[in-house]
Amino acid sequence: MATLSDVKHLIIDMDGVLYRGDEPMPRLGDFFAFLRERPIPFRLATNNSMSTPQQYVKKLERIGVEVSPEEILTSGQATARALAREHPAGTRAHVFGSPALREAVEAEGFTLADEDAAVVVASMDPDVTYEKLTRATLLIRGGAQFVATNLDPTRPTHEGLVPGTGALIAALETASGIKPRAIGKPEPTMFELAMREMGAGPETTATIGDRLDTDMLGGRRAGLTTVCVLSGSSGRAEAEAFGPDYIFEDIAGLLEAWQKSLDGREG
Ligand SMILES: [Mg+2]
C-alpha cells in the first residue's frame, strides 16, 4: 500500500465516485485540477459496457470535467483488448451486447460474426431477445470461447436494482453449461490493462471506487492501494468491515487529505 503522497497513478470508478446520476460530486472540478497539476495520470474505469468512451467524455463535459477518450476504459474495451492479445487480427467474434460493445470489439481487429465465431463476447444487452440468447448459446455450445465483460448481477436505476450483465450471463451459462471467463472488476485484468496503458506499477497506483465487491476487491487483487468513497453504494460500516486502505466520505474528503499529506512532505 502506498501513502497518498506516494501515489503516482489512479484508476477511478465513475458512477458513485465522480457523479450520481447527472449530479457531480462536491469539488469535482478541483479534484481534476489537482490531478492535472501534479500531474497524476489516470484511467476512468467502468464495468458498464453500454456507453462508448466518447459518450463518457460528453457526460463528464456536461458536469464541467474535461477528459480525453483515451482516459476512459470500459469493461467492453478491456475485454476486447485482453482478447486481442490472445487472438490474431480478423478472428471472428460474436457480440451479445450493446452497440458500444460491438464497436469496442471491432476496434481491436475482430470480425463481427453471427456464425462460425471463435469467441462470444457477452455483456448487458438492454434489447435482449430469446433469439439473441439462442444464437449465443448455440455458438458457445459449439465450442466458441465464452467471455463476459463482467458479472455484476444488478445495476442501479431510479426504480431500484434491475437485472445487470451477470443476470444475462447466467442465462447463457445455464443454457450452455459453460462458465464464462470474466474481464471487468473484480477481476484484476482490467486494472492490469489500465496500468499497462499508463506505464504504471501496482506499488504506486491507487484505485478509487464506491463498491466493495467490484472496485475494492478488484483493486486489492491487482495489488493496488484501495480508496473507498462513501458517496455511492457502500456505507461506512460495511466499508470498514472490508478494510480498504483508505475510506473517505467523497472525493472532496480525499482531495483534502491528499493535499494535506503533500503539504506535510513538501512544506
Ligand atoms: Mg461505482
Side-chain angles (χ1 to χ4, degrees), residues 13-17 210-211 215:
D13 180 54
M14 290 192 273
D15 202 2
V17 176
D210 66 311
R211 281 189 67 147
D215 303 319

Side-chain angles (χ1 to χ4, degrees), residues 144-206:
Q145 186 188 8
F146 180 19
V147 185
T149 57
N150 64 293
L151 299 173
D152 298 6
T154 57
R155 60 193 182 97
T157 69
H158 64 279
E159 290 180 296
L161 294 177
V162 300
T165 301
L168 301 188
I169 301 297
L172 295 177
E173 182 178 336
T174 301
S176 67
I178 306 280
K179 264 199 181 312
R181 168 181 169 198
I183 302 291
K185 311 173 208 178
E187 298 307 316
T189 316
M190 192 151 120
F191 296 90
E192 288 159 3
L193 266 167
M195 281 191 284
R196 193 181 308 131
E197 287 183 12
M198 293 189 287
E203 59 289 335
T204 52
T205 302

Side-chain angles (χ1 to χ4, degrees), residues 11-174:
I11 298 171
I12 310 170
D13 180 54
M14 290 192 273
D15 202 2
V17 176
L18 305 182
Y19 51 76
R20 200 167 15 202
D22 291 322
E23 275 300 301
M25 293 296 178
R27 299 199 65 193
L28 179 68
D30 292 342
F31 180 69
F32 276 90
F34 170 81
L35 299 184
R36 294 297 188 202
E37 190 187 323
R38 289 296 299 163
I40 305 279
F42 58 83
R43 285 292 180 275
L44 305 181
T46 176
N47 263 3
N48 191 329
S49 70
M50 290 195 292
S51 299
T52 64
Q54 288 77 9
Q55 287 168 323
Y56 279 111
V57 168
K58 287 225 170 69
K59 180 180 175 90
L60 289 163
E61 204 175 271
R62 284 196 294 273
I63 52 174
V65 174
E66 206 177 298
V67 300
S68 70
E70 293 71 35
E71 289 171 318
I72 310 272
L73 182 64
T74 69
S75 66
Q77 291 180 293
T79 302
R81 287 176 194 171
L83 290 172
R85 294 169 68 84
E86 301 163 12
H87 295 275
T91 295
R92 293 168 69 83
H94 177 73
V95 172
F96 176 96
S98 66
L101 180 61
R102 296 172 69 85
E103 191 178 312
V105 170
E106 212 169 14
E108 296 305 319
F110 289 92
T111 300
L112 300 184
D114 294 331
E115 284 166 13
D116 300 325
V119 190
V120 171
V121 181
S123 189
M124 183 62 206
D125 184 352
D127 300 315
V128 64
T129 62
Y130 186 78
E131 196 189 334
K132 288 181 180 178
L133 287 164
T134 298
R135 173 65 15 217
T137 298
L138 289 171
L139 287 167
I140 297 163
R141 293 192 76 96
Q145 186 188 8
F146 180 19
V147 185
T149 57
N150 64 293
L151 299 173
D152 298 6
T154 57
R155 60 193 182 97
T157 69
H158 64 279
E159 290 180 296
L161 294 177
V162 300
T165 301
L168 301 188
I169 301 297
L172 295 177
E173 182 178 336
T174 301

